[in-house]
Amino acid sequence: MTQHSRDLSRRRLLFGGAALSAGVVLAGCTSNEAAPTAAQTKDAAAGGNADPGKKVTIGFSAPAADHGWIAAITNNAKAQAAAYSDVEFKSVEAGADAAAQRAALSTLISQKPDVIVLLPHDGKELNAFGLEAMKAGIPVVNLDRAFPDARAYRLQIKGDNYGMGVAAATYVVAQLKAKGVSNPVIGEIPGIDSLELTQERSKGFADTLAANGLKVANRRPAEFTADSGQQAATGLFQALPKIDALWNHDDDQGIGVLAAVNQANRKEFFMVGGAGSKKAMEDIQADNTVLKATVTYSPSMASSAISLARLIGQGKGMSDLVELQVPKEIVLASETITKENAGNYLKLGF
């Protein structure tokens, strides 16, 4: 794939003549039952790639919806598949861990779908499955948690984890400078620390802070859930009697962080969230908590993954690209939502 086509694919995705911005945010809600809004999926409008074509069976697997972002991934995938009359959607349970998901996926291979869309429990642990499916002639769309081996997927689509950390730190640095804070105390509450995506986010955050002569004073991992967020924040507040800025990687676990803030009555700092949930946007817009911004990581990527899997299964490329095939990799940009622009993003929530 040429650099020109890579840049185009990152800026703008086009399905059947309708543009889908690569920077669009649709992020974790607190309800696992919330249905996608019209902004999270693309209608199969007449014309071009959207016209019914070869029947494509898409196998799908993602971890169980233990928090809003994962729920949105599955809901978006189902809704996007339903928008196409030529797509049959087959979902398999992912189980409680990578081993259980691997076993379930083996049964999916035996069903011989045309394409598999997979958000793995852990990209490294499920890499072998990607290799197996690809060897069996089944293209794999690797969603979010990346396989380390490029041979294990036909397409990898994910958010910009490093860029998410950069965006969060850029906002933190700007706010600290505006407030005239010298020697600031900065806290960080990441998600599951063993995941490569968490490590990339933290690296982007640390690198950008370091470029401005700053560093994280204390870092307490959570697990993308409200309960774990509350526990991590409580430990952080005990370790740091004073904080100037805090980045919490995930807005679902941020609900627990804000609960800990209220419980400890710690409101001397400002906080940046992550993913861009509707609840977070509403809190930012209301401006009545320590949460002042969030950086996006869009579960709309699941909708895009299904649309692209359909094109791969039909042997088609993307309508706005010169190349005849779907690109190998797509990375969605991370945007910063503040009080000033939250109103523009709320309609994209779920």
Side-chain angles (χ1 to χ4, degrees), residues 137-155:
I138 304 173
V140 175
V141 176
N142 178 204
L143 181 59
D144 183 40
R145 298 174 185 175
F147 295 149
D149 190 336
R151 296 173 301 164
Y153 59 85
R154 165 59 185 82
L155 165 66

Side-chain angles (χ1 to χ4, degrees), residues 172 176 179 181-189 205 215-220 232-248 257 260-261 264-272 290:
V172 166
L176 291 172
K179 296 174 185 294
V181 180
S182 58
N183 301 316
V185 178
I186 301 171
E188 181 184 2
I189 300 178
F205 191 60
K215 63 180 181 179
V216 173
N218 200 290
R219 184 179 180 278
R220 297 293 173 107
T234 298
L236 185 73
F237 296 154
Q238 291 171 351
L240 299 176
K242 177 183 177 296
I243 300 173
D244 294 296
L246 170 64
W247 182 34
N248 162 61
V257 174
V261 167
N265 195 28
R266 292 289 299 272
K267 301 179 182 179
E268 78 278 6
F269 61 90
F270 67 90
M271 183 170 89
V272 180
V290 297

Side-chain angles (χ1 to χ4, degrees), residues 121-180:
H121 272 285
D122 185 294
K124 291 180 180 178
E125 292 190 39
L126 270 296
N127 184 79
F129 168 78
L131 290 169
E132 180 185 351
M134 291 287 287
K135 186 176 180 180
I138 304 173
V140 175
V141 176
N142 178 204
L143 181 59
D144 183 40
R145 298 174 185 175
F147 295 149
D149 190 336
R151 296 173 301 164
Y153 59 85
R154 165 59 185 82
L155 165 66
Q156 187 175 85
I157 178 168
K158 61 182 182 177
D160 186 356
N161 290 292
Y162 185 85
M164 195 178 175
V166 171
T170 298
Y171 179 85
V172 166
V173 169
Q175 291 301 305
L176 291 172
K177 286 182 178 179
K179 296 174 185 294

Side-chain angles (χ1 to χ4, degrees), residues 72-339:
I73 283 286
T74 298
N75 290 341
N76 287 347
K78 289 179 179 178
Q80 189 63 59
Y84 297 114
S85 61
D86 53 12
V87 169
E88 180 182 359
F89 186 80
K90 289 188 176 182
S91 180
V92 297
E93 296 295 329
D97 53 29
Q101 188 176 25
R102 179 73 176 80
L105 286 166
S106 293
T107 65
L108 187 59
I109 285 184
S110 67
Q111 297 176 35
K112 301 186 183 304
D114 296 295
V115 188
I116 292 175
V117 176
L118 170 62
L119 195 162
H121 272 285
D122 185 294
K124 291 180 180 178
E125 292 190 39
L126 270 296
N127 184 79
F129 168 78
L131 290 169
E132 180 185 351
M134 291 287 287
K135 186 176 180 180
I138 304 173
V140 175
V141 176
N142 178 204
L143 181 59
D144 183 40
R145 298 174 185 175
F147 295 149
D149 190 336
R151 296 173 301 164
Y153 59 85
R154 165 59 185 82
L155 165 66
Q156 187 175 85
I157 178 168
K158 61 182 182 177
D160 186 356
N161 290 292
Y162 185 85
M164 195 178 175
V166 171
T170 298
Y171 179 85
V172 166
V173 169
Q175 291 301 305
L176 291 172
K177 286 182 178 179
K179 296 174 185 294
V181 180
S182 58
N183 301 316
V185 178
I186 301 171
E188 181 184 2
I189 300 178
I192 299 172
D193 226 6
S194 62
L195 294 177
E196 184 177 2
L197 65 85
T198 297
Q199 296 160 18
E200 290 175 353
R201 292 174 185 180
S202 287
K203 188 174 189 318
F205 191 60
D207 287 352
T208 306
L209 291 179
N212 289 274
L214 304 175
K215 63 180 181 179
V216 173
N218 200 290
R219 184 179 180 278
R220 297 293 173 107
E223 296 179 355
F224 297 136
T225 63
D227 287 346
S228 66
Q230 185 170 6
Q231 293 171 5
T234 298
L236 185 73
F237 296 154
Q238 291 171 351
L240 299 176
K242 177 183 177 296
I243 300 173
D244 294 296
L246 170 64
W247 182 34
N248 162 61
H249 286 207
D250 181 79
D251 288 332
D252 283 331
Q253 70 187 27
I255 294 170
V257 174
L258 289 176
V261 167
N262 292 329
Q263 186 176 35
N265 195 28
R266 292 289 299 272
K267 301 179 182 179
E268 78 278 6
F269 61 90
F270 67 90
M271 183 170 89
V272 180
S277 73
K278 184 177 180 183
K279 176 66 167 62
M281 294 183 213
E282 290 171 343
D283 286 345
I284 291 166
Q285 194 172 43
D287 197 21
N288 55 10
T289 74
V290 297
L291 181 62
K292 302 303 178 186
T294 189
V295 290
T296 67
Y297 194 81
S298 173
S300 65
M301 68 178 76
S303 301
S304 299
I306 294 297
S307 292
L308 292 166
R310 172 179 172 268
L311 294 183
I312 290 169
Q314 293 177 342
K316 297 177 181 178
M318 295 166 63
S319 299
D320 63 341
L321 299 186
V322 175
E323 288 73 22
L324 301 180
Q325 298 294 321
V326 168
K328 176 75 170 178
E329 296 178 359
I330 295 175
V331 180
L332 307 183
S334 183
E335 302 179 31
T336 303
I337 299 176
T338 64
K339 181 181 179 181

